Amino acid sequence: MIKLDNFSFSYGDSKSLVLKNITLEVSDGDFLGVIGSSGAGKTTLSYAINGIIPHHYKGEYFGKILVNDKDVFDTDACQLALEIGSVFQDIDSQMTCSTVEDEILFGLENFGFEKNKIAERVDWVLKEMGIENLRERDISGLSGGQKQKVAIAAILALRPKILVLDEPTGELDPTASRNIFRIVKELNKKFGITVIVIEQKIKLLCEYADHLAVLKKGELKFHGTVQEVLSHRDELADLGLNHERVGKLLDHLASGTKNDVVGALDSSVNFKPYDISGKEPVLEVKKVSFGYDENHLIQDVDFTVYKGDFLALTGENGSGKSTMSKLMGGILKPASGNILVNGLDSKKTRNSVLARHIGFLFQNPDRQLCCYTIRDEIAFGLKALKLPDVEKRTEEIISRFGFEPEMPPFALSRGQRQQLALASIIAVSPEIMILDEPTTGLDYKECIDLMNAIRELNEQGTTVIMVCHDMELVRDYAKRMVIVGGGKIHADGYPEELVSVVEGGYLQ
């Protein structure tokens, strides 16, 4: 179905090859997982397969790519779109309509499906994706995870011959992530759709994929069955993949077992509440409600964050976690109730003043990168807040993260841009740091490096509030865990107790 023959590519006028001599065959009906560290060339590989390269992104290329016996570089992009459905990392760039139903209808109508089949496809994909309740919702009011489900649904409705997904579960909770893979696998088996998934969640790939391909700095290092690729444990660790997790997966697969259990919060479970004795409040949420329309997404929420907390805010997609984080950061103002930041009422305090106390990392790092070079990006916040030793602190952060200071931020991969956005926040050493899914798009090594940097700040006194779906990270780094559901607080306790309840034995 797909054949790359000694393929290499460099963007624009750059002489640096992003992909180097890739030779790879993907059989009809295969399910291929693509893994590798950030910047390894995974997204570029997907662009080459679906024709975005060279029809959108120009550059110099060598070799050949065939899709269903058609040369990608000689085939019209619209013709390729009839055979290859793609879901990109940046979901917002893929949205074309204002409502969920219209977004799903868009492709079906443009490709000329029969009217009666269109209605059936829309009903089917909404049900399969578990988003029937979003049918009439405005896309602008959806959470990042909900948007991701809609984008995937719009492509799945077309049932293309080939499906290319670039980190489709990056912003999804564990249950939703597994559901996406289950649906894609069913399409793969039932309709013979060839699937290529770029993903950091190696356990999901290993459970659902038939084969794995591993990239390193643009080169194809390994390609084979899951067992064959995982057998290269030490080499995979060097490539930034979780060595311990790879070992466990290989052992499970060798013994023929699957760790399939998906957990859910059981309201009847008893757990030890978080001990607040002797702690100093730094952020107080008092009877807060908020909604983007007449319906309140956040409903009468009341809790306090204490100095030195490392709090993980968890819950299903659309439960209100990101909205809650924006309320605490002062980006949104409560419809009712109050939020106090070191005694300052967020309703009555300018965001420029709150910014001296709170550093905020968005889900999408591109929304907070604004400079031409990495050096300027890191120095930006230091200068804006008129902090001392700007040049010295900037160089320390550049060295710590291993950045190339004169490189443009948008020349970095998604994961690297996430690192840069966080680094610019770390540079100003805020009293409170609010992180909305900080590890999205990062490989294992980058993730651990990032989390260790956050932990170090926390140990130095910075209070951390982190929206997170990765239960392993919550267990390993957080001191406190709050579970949000339906705009309310369901549980507030210690991660070692609550993670097992949410996870139900399933390691993401």
Side-chain angles (χ1 to χ4, degrees):
M1 180 59 76
I2 301 168
K3 182 177 181 180
L4 289 85
D5 185 9
N6 204 33
F7 179 75
S8 299
F9 179 79
S10 60
Y11 285 100
D13 297 326
S14 173
K15 299 301 180 184
S16 177
L17 291 175
V18 182
L19 294 176
K20 305 171 186 176
N21 306 114
I22 302 288
T23 296
L24 173 69
E25 291 189 9
V26 183
S27 301
D28 187 12
D30 197 1
F31 191 132
L32 174 70
V34 180
I35 56 178
S37 60
S38 292
K42 303 185 300 295
T43 295
T44 301
L45 178 65
S46 73
Y47 288 166
I49 291 171
N50 61 24
I52 290 178
I53 293 172
H55 299 295
H56 181 69
Y57 290 125
K58 305 298 182 182
E60 190 170 8
Y61 69 90
F62 309 92
K64 182 180 289 188
I65 300 179
L66 299 178
V67 173
N68 203 15
D69 293 328
K70 299 182 183 71
D71 191 318
V72 167
F73 292 74
D74 293 333
T75 305
D76 181 73
C78 293
Q79 182 64 34
L80 287 171
L82 289 169
E83 300 191 35
I84 306 173
S86 300
V87 178
F88 308 113
Q89 279 184 327
D90 185 355
I91 295 301
D92 288 331
S93 70
Q94 194 162 350
M95 296 296 179
T96 57
C97 300
S98 59
T99 68
V100 171
E101 184 174 36
D102 286 346
E103 185 66 35
I104 296 171
L105 285 169
F106 182 82
L108 293 167
E109 291 176 341
N110 274 277
F111 283 124
F113 280 68
E114 294 178 20
K115 190 172 182 179
N116 63 324
K117 288 186 178 180
I118 288 178
E120 291 176 3
R121 286 286 179 90
V122 172
D123 291 342
W124 168 79
V125 80
L126 287 170
K127 183 177 180 180
E128 284 295 314
M129 293 295 298
I131 55 173
E132 292 169 289
N133 62 317
L134 302 181
R135 184 172 195 143
E136 298 179 1
R137 288 277 302 275
D138 286 338
I139 289 174
S140 61
L142 301 181
S143 70
Q146 288 171 324
K147 288 180 182 178
Q148 203 154 17
K149 291 180 183 179
V150 173
I152 295 171
I155 296 299
L156 290 184
L158 300 172
R159 293 182 188 167
K161 295 178 181 177
I162 300 169
L163 190 59
V164 180
L165 306 170
D166 193 353
E167 300 210 22
T169 68
E171 295 180 3
L172 301 184
D173 60 63
T175 301
S177 296
R178 173 170 284 271
N179 192 42
I180 292 296
F181 269 81
R182 177 189 61 78
I183 293 168
V184 171
K185 187 66 174 180
E186 286 178 358
L187 290 168
N188 168 246
K189 293 299 183 185
K190 185 174 181 179
F191 301 104
I193 294 175
T194 302
V195 176
I196 299 176
V197 180
I198 297 167
E199 184 59 80
Q200 297 289 357
K201 297 173 183 175
I202 188 171
K203 186 176 192 302
L204 282 176
L205 283 180
C206 291
E207 290 184 13
Y208 288 93
D210 301 317
H211 295 89
L212 293 177
V214 183
L215 294 181
K216 178 185 180 182
K217 296 181 179 178
E219 297 181 347
L220 181 64
K221 301 301 293 185
F222 305 110
H223 175 231
T225 65
V226 171
Q227 289 90 338
E228 288 170 347
V229 172
L230 291 186
S231 66
H232 300 278
R233 299 188 190 201
D234 294 336
E235 295 97 325
L236 292 177
D238 291 338
L239 297 179
L241 299 172
N242 187 331
H243 181 273
E244 181 180 352
R245 191 180 300 179
V246 166
K248 288 179 180 178
L249 288 168
L250 188 60
D251 293 340
H252 279 310
L253 291 167
S255 62
T257 63
K258 293 278 188 180
N259 207 2
D260 270 345
V261 182
V262 179
L265 177 64
D266 183 347
S267 59
S268 67
V269 173
N270 294 317
F271 59 90
K272 183 181 178 182
Y274 185 66
D275 184 7
I276 63 172
S277 57
K279 296 183 182 292
E280 176 188 346
V282 293
L283 195 152
E284 300 170 78
V285 179
K286 297 186 173 184
K287 303 295 181 183
V288 166
S289 294
F290 177 84
Y292 295 98
D293 48 34
E294 66 276 5
N295 298 315
H296 279 172
L297 176 62
I298 304 296
Q299 304 172 33
D300 202 29
V301 169
D302 196 294
F303 72 102
T304 300
V305 181
Y306 299 90
K307 184 174 177 60
D309 269 357
F310 194 135
L311 184 152
L313 197 62
T314 67
E316 294 181 349
N317 294 112
S319 61
K321 303 183 301 300
S322 292
T323 299
M324 193 68 246
S325 69
K326 290 174 183 175
L327 285 163
M328 289 188 286
I331 297 168
L332 299 175
K333 308 298 181 181
S336 62
N338 301 91
I339 294 178
L340 304 181
V341 179
N342 284 333
L344 300 172
D345 191 327
S346 67
K347 284 183 177 178
K348 303 175 182 178
T349 307
R350 295 194 308 273
N351 283 356
S352 59
V353 175
L354 292 176
R356 297 182 179 276
H357 301 274
I358 297 175
F360 194 100
L361 178 70
F362 292 92
Q363 279 183 339
N364 186 348
D366 296 346
R367 294 181 177 177
Q368 61 194 106
L369 300 178
C370 58
C371 297
Y372 290 108
T373 69
I374 288 174
R375 187 193 304 281
D376 290 343
E377 191 67 52
I378 294 171
F380 182 84
L382 293 164
K383 292 177 180 178
L385 295 175
K386 299 180 180 179
L387 297 176
D389 302 321
V390 172
E391 187 173 328
K392 178 183 176 182
R393 185 60 176 157
T394 298
E395 294 306 318
E396 287 176 351
I397 293 294
I398 288 172
S399 175
R400 181 176 186 174
F401 283 85
F403 292 129
E404 295 182 25
E406 303 308 318
M407 179 177 284
F410 288 96
L412 302 174
S413 69
R414 164 65 187 262
Q416 292 167 330
R417 297 198 302 275
Q418 190 88 334
Q419 283 185 306
L420 176 58
L422 182 59
S424 66
I425 296 171
I426 291 176
V428 303
S429 300
E431 300 167 60
I432 302 167
M433 186 180 291
I434 300 177
L435 314 166
D436 194 355
E437 296 287 353
T439 61
T440 299
L442 302 187
D443 63 47
Y444 176 72
K445 184 179 183 302
E446 290 172 333
C447 174
I448 297 305
D449 288 345
L450 201 68
M451 292 305 301
N452 285 342
I454 296 169
R455 173 186 276 168
E456 183 179 329
L457 279 177
N458 178 247
E459 291 172 346
Q460 293 171 357
T462 300
T463 301
V464 176
I465 302 168
M466 177 178 70
V467 175
C468 188
H469 286 133
D470 190 324
M471 292 297 105
E472 286 194 355
L473 290 183
V474 172
R475 181 193 292 111
D476 292 344
Y477 289 91
K479 299 175 182 176
R480 177 183 177 189
M481 180 173 171
V482 170
I483 301 174
V484 180
K488 298 180 179 180
I489 303 297
H490 279 305
D492 183 349
Y494 293 95
E496 57 265 30
E497 294 185 339
L498 291 179
V499 163
S500 61
V501 175
V502 174
E503 205 174 38
Y506 172 63
L507 296 178
Q508 184 58 14

